[in-house]
Amino acid sequence: RVVVLGLIVSSVDSVEHAMTRFASALALILVSVTAFARATETPLRVLFLGDRGHHQPAERFAQLEPVLAGRGIELVYTENLADLDPAVLADYDALAVFANIDSITPEHEAAIAEYVRGGKGLVPLHSASFCFQNSPLWIDMVGAQFQKHGAGEFSTEIVAAEHPVMKGFGGFRSWDETYVHTKHNPRGRTVLEERVDGEHREPWTWVRTEGKGWVFYTAWGHDQRTWGNPGFHNLVERGIRFAAGRDPAAAGPYVGHP
């Protein structure tokens, strides 16, 4: 009986070891496939529009740019509104905006709309939802407008876990401004994350269609605490890839940490 029991225990241990080795091998294969896909795709080029405002976009760009450069995404910084021109935008797969620019000219508004509706990506981040306040079209394209905020450390609730942008993304926790939005545009919009505050559920991260193009927005991103967070890096990479018509899974999985 002792011998038989020993054989059974040995067999169970062998099965457990085999399953562990299989899981490790599978994880390695998935990482390798992701790395291979990223290495073989055409690099993405993103024009990053900032300003000299209190959010310090140039400093935040400096935190994000080297991370994404190593992942096949080239960010190009500008504060020149003249770059919102069809001839300039044509060289980029997506336009990211992180700024507090009060107004926009009809010509620049039309250039962005044509760019996105023609099939390119728009990635407004945080305060971009309070940019171009004279443009109802911009507010509609973003999907809402910033209204007010408090501040604190929090995490969000993922409400569309099976969406391509969210698959494999576990969320993160950071200190940030607790944005509340107004002028919501639900047309073509899928909310991906919500910030839960008591009974209030604030749409926080979303994607929406605009003609043939895609918009990715997140309210995350007030200062260096969020911009230095690996979870934010992963989320923004996923959003850029999706808005530009690429596979967000190439960003790889992310499991949040406190």
Side-chain angles (χ1 to χ4, degrees):
R1 290 179 180 176
V2 173
V3 173
V4 171
L5 181 58
L7 288 173
I8 293 173
V9 170
S10 177
S11 298
V12 171
D13 288 344
S14 297
V15 170
E16 289 180 348
H17 286 310
M19 290 178 67
T20 300
R21 289 195 297 270
F22 175 76
S24 298
L26 182 59
L28 181 61
I29 290 171
L30 290 174
V31 171
S32 299
V33 168
T34 299
F36 176 77
R38 194 165 60 240
T40 55
E41 69 177 1
T42 304
L44 283 169
R45 299 192 76 227
V46 179
L47 184 64
F48 187 109
L49 176 64
D51 65 359
R52 299 295 177 91
H54 69 282
H55 280 107
Q56 301 179 307
E59 285 81 356
R60 304 292 77 80
F61 172 87
Q63 288 183 273
L64 184 64
E65 187 276 333
V67 176
L68 296 189
R71 305 187 65 80
I73 299 176
E74 179 188 2
L75 297 183
V76 177
Y77 186 79
T78 184
E79 295 175 357
N80 187 0
L81 289 174
D83 286 336
L84 299 178
D85 178 270
V88 176
L89 293 173
D91 288 335
Y92 297 93
D93 300 288
L95 169 66
V97 181
F98 177 59
N100 289 89
I101 305 170
D102 290 338
S103 62
I104 188 171
T105 66
E107 293 77 16
H108 293 153
E109 177 190 68
I112 295 176
E114 178 185 349
Y115 175 76
V116 179
R117 290 170 177 173
K120 297 298 183 76
L122 178 63
V123 184
L125 302 172
H126 190 64
S127 59
S129 61
F130 204 51
C131 270
F132 309 145
Q133 297 165 42
N134 66 323
S135 172
L137 175 57
W138 170 259
I139 296 167
D140 275 354
M141 282 197 293
V142 172
Q145 184 182 59
F146 162 80
Q147 182 183 40
K148 61 183 179 179
H149 73 78
E153 185 175 308
F154 58 92
S155 57
T156 53
E157 182 177 319
I158 295 171
V159 295
E162 295 305 307
H163 190 277
V165 173
M166 291 286 111
K167 282 188 176 180
F169 180 72
F172 62 95
R173 187 176 183 84
S174 180
W175 187 98
D176 214 309
E177 292 177 329
T178 52
Y179 267 27
V180 175
H181 305 83
T182 187
K183 300 181 183 178
H184 288 271
N185 176 15
R187 296 190 308 273
R189 188 178 76 167
T190 300
V191 175
L192 306 177
E193 291 183 303
E194 293 176 338
R195 182 180 58 80
V196 181
D197 185 3
E199 295 185 357
H200 178 71
R201 305 182 68 91
E202 180 67 22
W204 194 254
T205 300
W206 61 71
V207 294
R208 60 176 308 276
T209 57
E210 184 66 35
K212 296 179 181 178
W214 284 95
V215 178
F216 169 86
Y217 168 79
T218 185
W220 285 113
H222 174 66
D223 65 16
Q224 73 280 358
R225 285 167 282 192
T226 293
W227 284 77
N229 192 307
F232 180 72
H233 299 163
N234 187 265
L235 178 63
V236 172
E237 180 181 350
R238 289 165 173 270
I240 288 173
R241 290 185 181 280
F242 183 80
R246 302 288 183 86
D247 184 2
Y254 180 81
V255 178
H257 298 283

